Amino acid sequence: MDNIFKFAAGIFTTLGFAWLAFVVGAKMQYGALSPEAEMLEDDGSRPVDAELYPKALSGLAQQGGEDYQALGCMTCHTQQVRLVEAGFDVERGWGKRPSVPRDYVMQKNVLLGNTRVGPDLANLGMREYSDEWLHRHLFEPQALVPDSLCPPSPFLYVVSEEEKDGSIEIPATDEEVSRFVRPSFRARGIVSYLQSLQQDYELPEMSFIEVENEVEELVVDKPADGNASSAGVPDWLARQISSGKEIYMKAAPGGGLCFSCHQPTGLGLPGQFPPLAGSDWVLGDKERLIKISINGLMGEIEVNGVKYNNVMAPPGIPPGSLTDSQIADVLTYIRNEWGNSASAVSASEVAVVRAATKDRAAMQMWTAAELSSSSQPAP
Amino acid sequence: MKESPEQVIDRSAKLVVSFFVASAGLWLLAAALLAYIVAAKLTDPFFLSGIEYLTYGKVKIAQANAFVYGWGGNSIFAATLWIIARLSQAEVRGRIFLLFAGTLWNLGITAGLLGILDGKMNAHELLEMPTEVWPVLFIGYSIIAFLALVIHRSREHSSTIAPQWFILSSLLWFPALFLIAWNGLELNPARGTLQTVLSMWFGQSLIWLWLTPMALGAAYYVIPAIMGIVIDKYYLAIFGFWCIAALAPWSVLNHLVGGPVPMWIPAVGTVMSIAMIFPIAVASTNFHATAFKDVGKVWNSLPLRFVIFGTLSYTLSSYIGVIFSLPAVAKLTQFSIINEFHFNQRVYGFFSMIIFGVVYHMLPKITGREIGTGSKTFHFWTSAAGVMMLLLAYLIGGLTHGVLAQQPSLDWASSVISSVQPYFLITKIAFVILGFSQLVFVINVWKVIFPNPLAYILDGSPERKEKSA
């Protein structure tokens, strides 16, 4: 203790043990991992011609990864789906399976992160956002997700008032008129990097966990008299459905009043109000369904082989006032009641449609003709 | 007039210690400003959002580095040199080299922080400053550490006591940790999540093996020095010391639980964090049993009040740390802003409070000038209130964050994060209070170091004036 050299030898030895384990030992254990096939043969050999995962990033995505790091995005976003015992990441839909060490061997800088102010991004590329949506989000998240804490990065874009080649529209908000932004090279890199984040392959050491697929199946396979709150429906879905039912039935501000026309039975009134039960409008194309829930519907339509010619003003009290998540909930409800069963609608899906149809005047209702050939301008 | 040996030592340390304390103060203010910007961005994402140099992520990381290396590093150098010199009864020598090395250190950090803001950051915990500045920092550090060891080697009595063990080990562990991390991340970069294991081990160990032993050593020195009595149950200290040395480097990786690393890594971390109960108990027995022998004195001496606040905070934070490493709790709070609680508790509530006490104890002796009691008291109460407010907000906010994040049905932005937002507002207010508090500290310190800045500039250094007087 009193001799500085012996003392130093002592304290370096204690440190050295931990070093041996965490640095030397860990490296021996899994430092040599390399990309692998999704499945191995029974004898443990790799099938011939099998694709190997993970794949290397494209040059643009790699560049984007550098910028993602330089801007410090990893201070709020992790990139790791935890084991099922350790958290609810898979249930939350942040990945099809927990992340494993092999997923990261092709990355130059591994950005696992340790704080989640924002959602995990390990599988952002699997969430099927369009590049355009991601650019809008990168430019100003608050234009898409109200009250988002994700910081805007306007310095990555050239902003102008009118549309130019390759520019993206940022829809108008209460305070601002709509703007057009042109992504810089760096912005395109970051979006390409974000889209490349996906652990959408299985590996010999980890296969997909069935939670998410169960959700889809449960909804699809429900018996004809399926009740939304029947056991087996995941919590979040049950919640969305029950909130949607409330909106469907509510006759006060914030409600949708849908029941007064389409009836609590979902059967409508012959000749006046079309049914929602079994309707292809409800179970089919989500985008069309969202569009009419935002702006309403008029003119001749056909539902279950019967023609109707009436007007549905933009739903909500006051008209057109339903928020993205309210629309998502009520649509999820009508898609899963009265024997209907189809996948849930999420608030972000509504947000995407709303953003894309921003030009439409609030009370300009859709017509069937317009919806069936959406490329044609409104008559 | 004949000077006492203490006065000779203090005079030999004056210039160097003043330099380090004065620079530490400036970094503290820089960190406070950055901390405010970070907190403000969490309450209003549009705050300064158009300036690329000041994105949330960059400022947050620059803040942590300014705090740990700027404020922490400089104040560690100041306290180390003075305490080691006093305990060795030897003068500080090689002052010109110390000043040179200190300048290197500060220039290195300045360049490093500007590099981070300019988008050149690395992604390794507390090694985020750009690669180029590290050799400079390392050389600066080595010179200072070497000269501190020279003072220690020229000591009067060959036997050593607790403050020396803690301070010397802090001095030696930092370069060892650094070289390990530098080798594994820069020279022979590891692949995949090995990087994360190593960088997290470095970042967390830095707090446990650099800041912590320094502050503990300072407390072991200052408490008996001011109270005039020996440490109670001193024979336990050696046990506490070796427990920290043996356990702490193992106990830091529990945050990786459930992540893409071999399971044994976080598991070892969890077990060892629980074992850390022993050294924590030893230190807190030593400090608090001594302090409670004469509570009045602790209360009346401001330096001591700061130090005891720090040691209480150490005990508390470490026990809370143990609780949060239990698997059931860790599952809830992992990835939540509770991480901020741990970091701030350790570097603010514990390390900084003790350093404030040491500085207030040391500066009057070195400069021969007293610091006003009123402003010291103001500093104490605003710091104490600010720290507690900050920590409570992070603790409760972190629990809220963690518990809600475990409900897969809750929408992330509109349910989980919006419930945490009120706590971000509280932390912003706390950082404003702490900012004022630290401003008072820096003014206190600068006033005794440079009592009359104008005269200083006009007539050259006060050193010369005193000699000629």
Side-chain angles (χ1 to χ4, degrees), chain A residues 134-182:
Chain A
L134 287 174
H135 276 301
R136 286 199 187 105
H137 192 275
L138 187 58
F139 175 77
E140 189 176 306
Q142 291 72 17
L144 297 173
V145 185
D147 300 327
S148 170
L149 278 188
C150 199
S153 307
F155 41 80
L156 295 176
Y157 294 84
V158 184
V159 187
S160 65
E161 298 275 292
E162 72 260 31
E163 187 156 11
K164 289 209 193 87
D165 217 24
S167 70
I168 294 167
E169 187 185 357
I170 306 296
T173 57
D174 296 345
E175 291 115 55
E176 301 230 35
V177 294
S178 64
R179 289 157 291 172
F180 293 89
V181 299
R182 204 142 36 88

Side-chain angles (χ1 to χ4, degrees), chain B residues 127-208:
Chain B
L127 277 176
E128 288 101 348
M129 286 191 270
T131 315
E132 296 80 27
V133 309
W134 285 101
V136 177
L137 292 180
F138 187 70
I139 292 172
Y141 187 96
S142 305
I143 297 176
I144 297 171
F146 175 75
L147 288 168
L149 287 175
V150 168
I151 306 174
H152 179 71
R153 291 278 284 164
S154 62
R155 65 190 183 277
E156 294 255 295
H157 305 287
S158 68
S159 65
T160 52
I161 55 172
Q164 283 161 319
W165 314 329
F166 280 101
I167 293 177
L168 289 174
S169 57
S170 145
L171 204 61
L172 292 173
W173 269 327
F174 174 76
L177 282 171
F178 172 75
L179 288 178
I180 292 175
W182 188 254
N183 177 47
L185 296 170
E186 287 297 332
L187 301 181
N188 302 299
R191 269 203 317 164
T193 60
L194 281 171
Q195 273 179 23
T196 317
V197 172
L198 178 51
S199 86
M200 192 174 214
W201 183 71
F202 172 82
Q204 299 283 318
S205 294
L206 195 69
I207 309 268
W208 262 112

Side-chain angles (χ1 to χ4, degrees), chain A residues 1-2 11 19 29-30 33 69-71 82-83 86 92 108 110 114 116-117 149 186 236 239, chain B residues 42 52 55 58 121 123 155 160 173 191 193 195 258 264 331 334-335 339 401 407 409-410 412 417:
Chain A
M1 211 77 193
D2 296 339
I11 63 170
W19 168 72
Q29 184 185 1
Y30 76 107
L33 279 181
Q69 172 180 333
L71 293 173
R82 283 177 295 175
L83 296 179
R92 210 172 236 299
K108 181 164 156 268
V110 178
N114 60 19
R116 283 180 180 161
V117 177
L149 278 188
R186 286 194 297 155
W236 62 266
R239 219 179 273 241
Chain B
L42 276 182
E52 180 167 4
T55 66
K58 290 176 175 178
M121 78 164 93
R155 65 190 183 277
T160 52
W173 269 327
R191 269 203 317 164
T193 60
Q195 273 179 23
W264 62 268
K331 182 172 167 178
Q334 189 184 19
F335 302 142
N339 294 336
H401 186 181
Q407 321 272 321
S409 59
L410 291 183
W412 189 263
I417 293 304

Side-chain angles (χ1 to χ4, degrees), chain A residues 82-360:
Chain A
R82 283 177 295 175
L83 296 179
V84 184
E85 309 87 64
F88 291 91
D89 299 357
V90 177
E91 282 91 335
R92 210 172 236 299
W94 280 347
K96 288 198 209 170
R97 59 168 174 84
S99 308
V100 293
R102 201 190 297 277
D103 292 325
Y104 301 87
V105 293
M106 300 302 278
Q107 302 184 359
K108 181 164 156 268
N109 294 313
V110 178
L111 304 172
L112 289 189
N114 60 19
T115 305
R116 283 180 180 161
V117 177
D120 188 82
L121 298 183
N123 288 295
L124 186 86
M126 278 160 51
R127 283 174 217 159
E128 294 178 353
Y129 289 125
S130 63
D131 283 1
E132 206 165 287
W133 192 91
L134 287 174
H135 276 301
R136 286 199 187 105
H137 192 275
L138 187 58
F139 175 77
E140 189 176 306
Q142 291 72 17
L144 297 173
V145 185
D147 300 327
S148 170
L149 278 188
C150 199
S153 307
F155 41 80
L156 295 176
Y157 294 84
V158 184
V159 187
S160 65
E161 298 275 292
E162 72 260 31
E163 187 156 11
K164 289 209 193 87
D165 217 24
S167 70
I168 294 167
E169 187 185 357
I170 306 296
T173 57
D174 296 345
E175 291 115 55
E176 301 230 35
V177 294
S178 64
R179 289 157 291 172
F180 293 89
V181 299
R182 204 142 36 88
S184 63
F185 177 70
R186 286 194 297 155
R188 279 188 285 131
I190 293 179
V191 165
S192 151
Y193 172 71
L194 290 172
Q195 295 285 31
S196 78
L197 293 174
Q198 38 187 324
Q199 299 164 355
D200 58 347
Y201 45 86
E202 299 192 297
L203 287 171
E205 63 265 37
M206 183 66 76
S207 31
F208 293 147
I209 307 258
E210 286 302 321
V211 191
E212 257 220 316
N213 298 350
E214 269 167 32
V215 172
E216 294 281 328
E217 274 156 25
L218 270 171
V219 176
V220 176
D221 296 343
K222 237 173 357 164
D225 61 346
N227 184 332
S229 54
S230 65
V233 176
D235 257 12
W236 62 266
L237 183 57
R239 219 179 273 241
Q240 233 191 334
I241 290 178
S242 71
S243 141
K245 179 166 188 175
E246 213 171 279
I247 297 166
Y248 186 88
M249 292 302 211
K250 193 164 164 186
L257 204 68
C258 326
F259 79 97
S260 66
C261 302
H262 297 286
Q263 302 301 307
T265 54
L267 296 175
L269 287 180
Q272 288 187 43
F273 304 120
L276 300 177
S279 159
D280 170 53
W281 286 79
V282 174
L283 296 169
D285 183 15
K286 275 192 197 178
E287 187 181 327
R288 184 176 67 174
L289 180 59
I290 296 172
K291 277 181 175 165
I292 65 171
S293 308
I294 297 174
N295 287 93
L297 178 67
M298 61 185 212
E300 188 177 89
I301 63 166
E302 193 179 306
V303 180
N304 296 349
V306 181
K307 291 208 159 99
Y308 295 83
N309 193 341
N310 202 338
V311 173
M312 174 169 77
I317 309 171
S321 65
L322 292 179
T323 65
D324 292 353
S325 66
Q326 282 171 329
I327 291 180
D329 289 356
V330 77
L331 294 185
T332 304
Y333 167 69
I334 62 172
R335 281 159 74 88
N336 290 287
E337 182 70 300
W338 318 298
N340 287 354
S341 85
S343 62
V345 177
S346 75
S348 47
E349 284 170 305
V350 181
V352 172
V353 174
R354 200 190 281 281
T357 60
K358 202 72 208 181
D359 301 330
R360 257 190 120 75

Side-chain angles (χ1 to χ4, degrees), chain A residues 13-60:
Chain A
T13 309
T14 55
L15 187 67
F17 282 128
W19 168 72
L20 272 181
F22 294 135
V23 182
V24 180
K27 190 164 189 163
M28 281 185 355
Q29 184 185 1
Y30 76 107
L33 279 181
S34 55
E36 188 50 273
E38 290 203 82
M39 210 112 55
L40 298 181
E41 304 286 4
D42 288 340
D43 59 2
S45 66
R46 182 184 294 166
V48 256
D49 297 338
E51 290 247 23
L52 299 190
Y53 295 96
K55 298 226 167 290
L57 295 188
S58 76
L60 185 61

Side-chain angles (χ1 to χ4, degrees), chain B residues 33-45 47 56 59 390 394 423-432:
Chain B
L33 181 68
L34 294 173
Y36 173 78
I37 298 180
V38 174
K41 277 174 177 278
L42 276 182
T43 47
D44 172 15
F47 181 71
Y56 173 88
V59 180
L390 185 69
Y394 278 136
Y423 299 100
F424 289 143
L425 184 65
I426 303 179
T427 62
K428 179 165 116 178
I429 301 171
F431 277 120
V432 172

